[in-house]
Amino acid sequence: MLTFDEKKITSPTLVVDQRVCQRNIRNMLKRARDHQVNLRPHFKTHQSALVGGWHKALGITSITVSSLNMALYFAKHGWKDITVAFPLNIREMHKVNQLASGIKLNVLIESMEQLEALESALKFPVGLFMKIDAGSHRTGVAAENVALIGALINKIKSMDKARFKGFLTHAGHSYKATSKAEVLTVHQETTAKMVNLKSHFSAVAPDIIVSLGDTPTASLADSFENVDEIRPGNFVYYDVMQKNIGSCQWEDIAVAVACPIVAKHETRNEIVVYGGAVHFSKDSLTDNDHRQYFGLVVPMGPEGWGAPLPGCYMASLSQEHGVVKMDPAHFGKFHIGDLLYILPIHSCLTVDVIPDMITLEGEVVDNMKTSGANIYSDKTQVAD
Amino acid sequence: MLTFDEKKITSPTLVVDQRVCQRNIRNMLKRARDHQVNLRPHFKTHQSALVGGWHKALGITSITVSSLNMALYFAKHGWKDITVAFPLNIREMHKVNQLASGIKLNVLIESMEQLEALESALKFPVGLFMKIDAGSHRTGVAAENVALIGALINKIKSMDKARFKGFLTHAGHSYKATSKAEVLTVHQETTAKMVNLKSHFSAVAPDIIVSLGDTPTASLADSFENVDEIRPGNFVYYDVMQKNIGSCQWEDIAVAVACPIVAKHETRNEIVVYGGAVHFSKDSLTDNDHRQYFGLVVPMGPEGWGAPLPGCYMASLSQEHGVVKMDPAHFGKFHIGDLLYILPIHSCLTVDVIPDMITLEGEVVDNMKTSGANIYSDKTQVAD
């Protein structure tokens, strides 16, 4: 039952359906347990202590984050086992030490320069995952470069405060897939390379952990043989992009953005909302008619939102404006001052930029960046 | 002389060259005075009380913002004459009253619904600009719809606390121009429509203000005859997009993002930096070889940065990573742990998302959203 008061929403606000979100967490946890892999969810998607608590309540204790600042935020909120899945930035060694003094911290390395910086700066034990490029070609040591991989392992073994944990990869190219079959092909190729590496180096390094990221393969793969850990993030909310890839169904999308309607243009069947690039970010998709879109309109009911209204989509975004193309059948149902609910294309980036979040029940969703001061309050933070 | 300490930059940081920025403000102010139009700069680009102060020092007293929250921030910092250049969101009438109780506030209307909401809620006098769609087709009353424009003016004249100020437009389609000639065509068409409207309604409403927005036309137009006010914003920093349009030269771009280098991939001549979509936003351009790019690499010297290094560009962005393609001639000059300086494609959105900003002299640039807590400090805000 929808219990937040729509009247109190005065600016673009992310609404989280916590029943859907918690079901997504349970489903992913069940998949992990069924396949006997550790689930180390990536918290960059929600960046929220509250949503983190929903994971903790289900027994999850190890997490992934995308920056040392995010690790500090979650460490402050009681998380004790954190992997920072971003190439170690050697300019932030003070934060590495700050974290490692209190929790089990893993960082990512892929070069001798990073190991040398760690060797000279580390004051507390830190686990090291080696980032492997298994095909996405963003970053990491190429899986084929066993000479460098071996040299890095040997160097780590010689270090006092560092411990080699295993190989970590992110099959980022799975986001470009357009079908389950394509996702599974990426997964099989990635897994094969990682398992080969584990086997190749098992003599010099026993207990190598193979850690895979990305929501599409974690959501769809049928086999995780010889994989030790998965690190999906986006699954907690999903979004239109994941629906398009096939990772989820409409009813699994756990976030929508409530946007006040500020103008209507009948000759073009367009609605202008308060809700722009600074609320959604600018990720977009292209439909079968080659139209670019930045979000899809959903109808709101007493039990939450439904599937997208056909022919109603966010057609363009400027800094604060969103222009929504409406099917003529729906155009007349919405009025200036109403809220329009829009599913984001990429929930991770929308969460990162939008200042205000609440649950369907009206609870403020605190996160790393925001105070929630604008929500349910006549006073804005900036005016105090 | 570069006086900030590069060693203290540990995460992606926007660097502002205040000499260039102040020159941009002076130049735009001179243009406005030469053409006898009021300059009401749009502060959404910098969102900073410090940068606002540079305007105030030159005698600027009237400003534009893109949200009521931003108006509250600048009102708090002493600005007394503010136009919120966004269609009035009738869910935020409490903020309108809060502002109008203390400063000269103008808001934008384009519908009878907005006027009715104002009529029933206004407690203090507010100036109303009518948003006119002069060709960009984002929002506003179509310039040709004189029936609606007349009806709205009549309604405003019947209202107690509202005063009709004039016609306001934003020639957003000038951002799609690729040459000065195209920008000037947009400017001439826009101005003609606005001036016609002013003349058409001069009998019912004397003293109509014609207010034009957008940096390209404000930077390039040779004539502002019968225009009363210009509201450029981006000119304060400019960016790669404005350089491409022809609004500025390389030496006029007043911001660059300092990004720590976290990995190098020699076989691809690629450098991976800490600096992704959450720092740059995702606006991009396409070069002559149809390559999409998200920023351009500039060399840093003791007097600030120079023109972009040929063949060196940000080729892709994920949440925290940026992948930079380097010309082989430059690849070897940069090392893991160095800073790479990158000109943003669209400075307004970069400023909106990046948490940390400093001047070349090392002064923290406070802004509406950030505290600057991570800059020059071993303690992060989130860890306290």
Side-chain angles (χ1 to χ4, degrees):
Chain A
M1 188 70 190
L2 183 66
T3 53
F4 76 87
D5 183 356
E6 282 201 330
K7 287 203 196 81
K8 290 185 176 173
I9 306 267
T10 61
S11 56
T13 301
L14 191 87
V15 183
V16 179
D17 188 328
Q18 68 172 304
R19 294 163 305 179
V20 174
C21 178
Q22 289 167 1
R23 186 179 71 211
N24 291 343
I25 302 169
R26 281 197 307 274
N27 287 346
M28 190 57 81
L29 189 58
K30 181 174 186 308
R31 281 182 65 77
R33 286 177 177 160
D34 287 351
H35 291 284
Q36 297 177 288
V37 294
N38 179 47
L39 176 61
R40 185 185 281 277
H42 204 316
F43 276 18
K44 74 172 183 179
T45 304
H46 57 81
Q47 303 182 30
S48 164
L50 178 73
V51 180
W54 300 343
H55 291 75
K56 200 172 275 180
L58 294 170
I60 291 167
T61 57
S62 59
I63 66 171
T64 309
V65 298
S66 59
S67 69
L68 289 159
N69 284 351
M70 207 181 289
L72 287 163
Y73 170 81
F74 284 108
K76 183 183 152 193
H77 286 280
W79 292 89
K80 298 283 186 199
D81 183 354
I82 304 179
T83 296
V84 182
F86 184 82
L88 175 70
N89 171 17
I90 63 173
R91 289 180 166 253
E92 293 183 293
M93 291 303 303
H94 56 297
K95 293 178 189 169
V96 171
N97 278 318
Q98 190 183 346
L99 283 158
S101 70
I103 67 161
K104 238 168 93 179
L105 176 72
N106 301 313
V107 299
L108 248 62
I109 60 92
E110 60 177 273
S111 68
M112 212 52 89
E113 289 92 331
Q114 290 167 310
L115 295 181
E116 284 158 6
L118 284 164
E119 190 170 37
S120 68
L122 272 189
K123 295 179 187 150
F124 302 95
V126 168
L128 304 188
F129 276 96
M130 194 179 305
K131 178 69 182 277
I132 301 295
D133 177 3
S136 80
H137 304 318
R138 183 172 66 180
T139 194
V141 184
E144 298 73 19
N145 194 349
V146 289
L148 178 56
I149 294 169
L152 291 170
I153 292 175
N154 285 340
K155 173 72 181 170
I156 296 169
K157 288 173 75 177
S158 78
M159 290 165 64
D160 181 29
K161 296 273 188 301
R163 183 160 154 243
F164 180 60
K165 298 281 286 184
F167 298 122
L168 180 149
T169 195
H170 178 255
H173 45 321
S174 72
Y175 288 87
K176 291 176 185 151
T178 54
S179 67
K180 180 172 175 175
E182 282 182 48
V183 170
L184 294 184
T185 301
V186 168
H187 177 66
Q188 282 149 12
E189 290 169 1
T190 303
T191 308
K193 287 184 185 181
M194 297 295 281
V195 171
N196 280 346
L197 277 184
K198 176 176 178 165
S199 147
H200 185 96
F201 288 101
S202 62
V204 282
D207 308 321
I208 289 175
I209 295 171
V210 166
S211 176
L212 305 184
D214 87 276
T215 282
T217 66
S219 300
L220 295 173
D222 301 316
S223 162
F224 292 89
E225 212 178 322
N226 294 314
V227 171
D228 302 288
E229 177 176 276
I230 55 173
R231 307 181 323 279
N234 184 285
F235 76 95
V236 70
Y237 291 155
Y238 287 118
D239 51 34
V240 178
M241 195 186 289
Q242 293 301 321
K243 168 65 173 72
N244 266 25
I245 293 172
S247 309
C248 69
Q249 304 302 315
W250 290 123
E251 58 267 30
D252 302 322
I253 300 179
V255 288
V257 183
C259 298
I261 294 175
V262 295
K264 291 186 69 181
H265 299 288
E266 194 163 4
T267 55
R268 301 192 294 269
N269 284 302
E270 286 178 0
I271 286 177
V272 181
V273 296
Y274 182 14
V278 302
H279 309 100
F280 283 87
S281 179
K282 286 197 103 166
D283 269 348
S284 65
L285 291 168
T286 305
D287 70 12
N288 291 336
D289 298 324
H290 308 289
R291 291 179 301 204
Q292 189 183 22
Y293 63 102
F294 297 84
L296 295 175
V297 178
V298 286
M300 184 58 107
E303 299 293 328
W305 57 83
L309 296 174
C312 302
Y313 59 96
M314 180 89 84
S316 69
L317 288 178
S318 41
Q319 187 155 343
E320 312 264 358
H321 300 74
V323 176
V324 182
K325 277 275 181 199
M326 296 295 287
D327 184 279
H330 296 293
F331 180 79
K333 297 177 188 164
F334 297 93
H335 305 99
I336 289 172
D338 287 354
L339 296 177
L340 205 60
Y341 290 85
I342 296 172
L343 299 183
I345 300 299
H346 186 180
S347 59
C348 305
L349 288 186
T350 300
V351 166
D352 192 82
V353 293
I354 200 163
D356 294 324
M357 304 188 211
I358 59 171
T359 66
L360 271 177
E361 288 74 20
E363 184 176 7
V364 172
V365 181
D366 65 298
N367 75 19
M368 191 182 141
K369 287 193 172 176
T370 63
S371 67
N374 285 339
I375 294 175
Y376 284 172
S377 163
D378 276 354
K379 287 185 188 158
T380 64
Q381 190 184 4
V382 291
D384 290 340
Chain B
M1 189 67 192
L2 185 66
T3 53
F4 77 85
D5 184 355
E6 281 201 329
K7 287 202 195 85
K8 291 185 174 173
I9 306 266
T10 60
S11 55
T13 302
L14 191 85
V15 183
V16 179
D17 187 327
Q18 67 172 306
R19 293 163 306 178
V20 173
C21 178
Q22 289 168 0
R23 187 179 68 210
N24 291 342
I25 302 169
R26 280 196 306 274
N27 287 346
M28 191 58 81
L29 188 59
K30 180 172 186 309
R31 282 182 65 77
R33 287 179 175 158
D34 287 350
H35 292 284
Q36 296 177 290
V37 295
N38 179 46
L39 176 62
R40 185 185 280 279
H42 204 318
F43 276 18
K44 74 172 182 178
T45 304
H46 58 79
Q47 303 183 31
S48 163
L50 178 72
V51 181
W54 300 342
H55 292 74
K56 201 173 273 178
L58 294 170
I60 292 167
T61 57
S62 59
I63 66 169
T64 309
V65 299
S66 59
S67 69
L68 289 159
N69 285 351
M70 208 181 290
L72 287 163
Y73 170 80
F74 284 108
K76 183 183 153 197
H77 286 281
W79 293 89
K80 298 284 186 199
D81 182 354
I82 304 180
T83 296
V84 182
F86 184 83
L88 175 70
N89 171 17
I90 64 174
R91 290 178 166 256
E92 293 183 294
M93 291 304 302
H94 55 299
K95 292 179 191 169
V96 171
N97 278 318
Q98 188 182 347
L99 283 159
S101 71
I103 67 160
K104 239 169 91 181
L105 176 73
N106 301 312
V107 300
L108 248 61
I109 61 91
E110 60 176 275
S111 69
M112 213 52 91
E113 290 90 333
Q114 289 167 309
L115 293 181
E116 285 158 5
L118 284 164
E119 191 170 37
S120 69
L122 272 191
K123 294 178 188 150
F124 302 94
V126 169
L128 304 188
F129 275 96
M130 194 179 305
K131 178 69 183 279
I132 301 296
D133 178 2
S136 79
H137 304 319
R138 183 173 65 180
T139 194
V141 184
E144 297 73 20
N145 194 349
V146 288
L148 178 56
I149 294 169
L152 292 169
I153 292 176
N154 285 339
K155 173 72 181 170
I156 296 170
K157 286 173 75 177
S158 78
M159 289 166 64
D160 182 29
K161 296 276 190 299
R163 181 159 156 245
F164 180 60
K165 298 282 285 185
F167 297 122
L168 180 149
T169 196
H170 178 255
H173 45 322
S174 71
Y175 288 88
K176 291 174 185 153
T178 54
S179 67
K180 180 172 175 177
E182 283 181 48
V183 171
L184 294 184
T185 301
V186 168
H187 177 65
Q188 283 150 12
E189 290 168 1
T190 303
T191 307
K193 286 183 186 181
M194 297 295 281
V195 171
N196 280 345
L197 278 184
K198 176 175 177 165
S199 147
H200 185 96
F201 288 101
S202 61
V204 285
D207 307 322
I208 288 175
I209 294 170
V210 166
S211 176
L212 304 184
D214 86 277
T215 282
T217 66
S219 301
L220 295 174
D222 301 315
S223 162
F224 292 91
E225 212 177 323
N226 294 313
V227 171
D228 302 289
E229 177 177 277
I230 56 172
R231 308 181 322 280
N234 184 284
F235 76 96
V236 71
Y237 291 155
Y238 287 117
D239 51 34
V240 178
M241 194 185 289
Q242 293 301 321
K243 168 64 174 73
N244 266 24
I245 292 172
S247 310
C248 69
Q249 303 303 314
W250 289 123
E251 57 267 30
D252 301 323
I253 299 179
V255 287
V257 183
C259 298
I261 294 174
V262 294
K264 292 184 70 181
H265 299 288
E266 192 163 5
T267 55
R268 302 191 293 270
N269 283 302
E270 286 177 0
I271 286 177
V272 181
V273 296
Y274 181 16
V278 302
H279 308 100
F280 283 88
S281 178
K282 286 197 103 165
D283 270 346
S284 65
L285 291 169
T286 306
D287 71 11
N288 292 336
D289 298 326
H290 309 289
R291 291 178 300 204
Q292 189 184 24
Y293 64 102
F294 297 84
L296 295 176
V297 178
V298 285
M300 185 57 107
E303 299 293 327
W305 57 85
L309 297 174
C312 301
Y313 59 96
M314 181 89 86
S316 70
L317 288 177
S318 42
Q319 187 155 341
E320 312 264 357
H321 300 73
V323 176
V324 182
K325 277 274 182 200
M326 296 295 286
D327 183 280
H330 296 293
F331 181 79
K333 296 177 189 166
F334 296 93
H335 305 99
I336 288 171
D338 287 353
L339 296 177
L340 204 60
Y341 291 86
I342 296 173
L343 299 183
I345 299 300
H346 186 180
S347 58
C348 305
L349 289 185
T350 301
V351 166
D352 193 82
V353 293
I354 199 163
D356 294 325
M357 304 189 212
I358 58 170
T359 66
L360 271 178
E361 289 73 21
E363 185 176 6
V364 172
V365 181
D366 64 298
N367 74 18
M368 189 181 142
K369 287 194 172 174
T370 63
S371 68
N374 284 340
I375 294 176
Y376 285 172
S377 163
D378 275 355
K379 287 185 187 160
T380 65
Q381 191 183 5
V382 293
D384 290 340

